[in-house]
Amino acid sequence: MTHTTGPVRYAADLAESLLTHADAELGRSFTILTYEEGSGLVDRRTALQPVYEAVVARVGQPKLLGGTTYGPSVRWSNRERTLLLSGDHSEATLSAHPGESFAREEFWRFDSGSLPYPYTWQLDRHGPGRDHGWTFHGHAAADDWTSAEEGLAGLLASWAEHLPVQAPGDWAGFKLWAARDWGRTMIVSFDPSETNAEFHVAIEDKDHEQTLERAVEMRARGWRDVDEHRWWRTKLPVTDPTAAAELARVVITDLRARGTVCPDEVTAWDISAGDNGELWVPGIGVDVSPRRGEHH
């Protein structure tokens, strides 16, 4: 049940006003929630959820779901305006903007390569509202491995914090192939299971005999367990504040160990959130196939 007092009621009232009232102040960010100092992603997620649910109950489902490396990025749109839920690790905010010009400015920020990106990921489930025709669906590989690792860690952490609020119960993930090791699949995912929410990365290693020496080599890259089908896996709980960064480190370390020279040689594909809608990941840090499931 949605609460109707305090910041929850304020957020719902504000959202309705910003999206529909003729005299609403555009371009200004209004704080709707302040997080306790030192709160982690699970704490922030728990605090934001009732506020988010109250906004949805008042103004309806968003047009676009999404997040950045530092906060949510959710949009409700009508013909004239876009209502944006955003923020960072200290607060959540609501703001309203002229719809078409706001979308166009975001597109050009992406297209020019300006950082930080307006959103690291965006999920289009064809919600109600107006599409202003400037949504950015492009991708660019990171300039170096450090940036690629940071981008991947930020994407995973953002999924863990914001997907359970915006799309309860849905997993998210993708597969990776490397140009110099084409055909070997690496799977990266976030599983929101209520009893054991975790990050998971796995890679097939079928062309190597699983000797003691191979096990030492793979564990040095960050892999933890191997199954009878020669798939190596690492699983880390979302409650571990270092989990997203550690998982990203495993991915990049293994890619480099198999001869990959730069992020441009890596392709992400089969990108999905619960097999529902179109998931775009401009902040992933590697190249992306044009369509889900497409690969060479």
Side-chain angles (χ1 to χ4, degrees):
M1 180 180 296
T2 300
H3 300 289
T4 56
T5 59
V8 176
R9 176 63 179 270
Y10 170 70
D13 291 345
L14 179 63
E16 182 179 28
S17 174
L18 290 174
L19 190 60
T20 63
H21 291 190
D23 60 349
E25 185 175 355
L26 304 186
R28 175 187 169 187
S29 293
F30 296 85
T31 299
I32 57 172
L33 180 64
T34 301
Y35 302 118
E36 293 184 9
E37 185 175 355
S39 60
L41 71 83
V42 176
D43 297 325
R44 294 191 298 269
R45 187 176 70 196
T46 301
L48 181 60
Q49 186 161 0
V51 178
Y52 177 80
E53 290 173 350
V55 171
V56 171
R58 182 68 63 85
V59 300
Q61 291 295 323
K63 178 63 180 173
L64 294 166
L65 308 176
T68 69
T69 58
Y70 46 84
S73 182
V74 186
R75 294 108 194 284
W76 293 259
S77 294
N78 58 29
R79 183 175 295 275
E80 294 81 20
R81 295 180 194 169
T82 292
L83 175 68
L84 174 66
L85 169 64
S86 58
D88 54 27
H89 291 172
S90 64
E91 65 179 10
T93 65
L94 283 173
S95 58
H97 308 267
E100 185 171 351
S101 62
F102 178 71
R104 184 171 60 247
E105 288 166 8
E106 280 199 331
F107 180 92
W108 290 118
R109 277 182 60 192
F110 273 120
D111 200 54
S112 66
S114 300
L115 296 175
Y117 287 152
Y119 45 86
T120 298
W121 61 275
Q122 191 167 76
L123 179 56
D124 184 357
R125 287 189 163 164
H126 311 292
R130 181 176 177 83
D131 181 354
H132 294 282
W134 286 91
T135 302
F136 184 84
H137 292 159
H139 304 86
D143 293 332
D144 53 50
W145 288 118
T146 298
S147 299
E149 187 174 315
E150 290 173 350
L152 178 55
L155 174 66
L156 293 173
S158 185
W159 279 353
E161 182 168 347
H162 302 298
L163 263 178
V165 174
Q166 301 175 30
D170 281 353
W171 53 268
F174 54 88
K175 298 173 183 175
L176 294 175
W177 278 4
R180 296 173 191 259
D181 192 25
W182 200 254
R184 186 189 309 280
T185 300
M186 184 186 294
I187 301 171
V188 183
S189 65
F190 160 67
D191 179 355
S193 168
E194 292 184 5
T195 57
N196 192 30
E198 62 187 10
F199 299 113
H200 177 209
V201 61
I203 192 166
E204 55 179 332
D205 199 44
K206 299 175 182 178
D207 53 336
H208 287 86
E209 185 180 354
Q210 298 303 306
T211 62
L212 178 60
E213 290 77 11
R214 184 59 175 172
V216 170
E217 182 181 1
M218 292 296 282
R219 289 195 170 96
R221 299 179 191 179
W223 298 106
R224 297 195 173 186
D225 303 294
V226 63
D227 63 23
E228 67 274 18
H229 303 294
R230 300 187 186 182
W231 277 82
W232 280 90
R233 304 177 187 276
T234 295
K235 298 180 180 181
L236 299 170
V238 171
T239 51
D240 180 351
T242 68
E246 184 175 343
L247 206 76
R249 192 175 307 114
V250 174
V251 171
I252 300 303
T253 299
D254 193 88
L255 287 169
R256 299 183 71 177
R258 296 178 189 273
T260 309
V261 173
C262 62
D264 269 329
E265 296 185 346
V266 183
T267 300
W269 56 283
D270 201 12
I271 303 165
S272 181
D275 287 330
N276 182 4
E278 298 293 333
L279 176 61
W280 311 100
V281 286
I284 195 173
V286 299
D287 194 15
V288 174
S289 287
R291 292 185 293 274
R292 188 171 72 87
E294 177 181 306
H295 53 280
H296 299 318

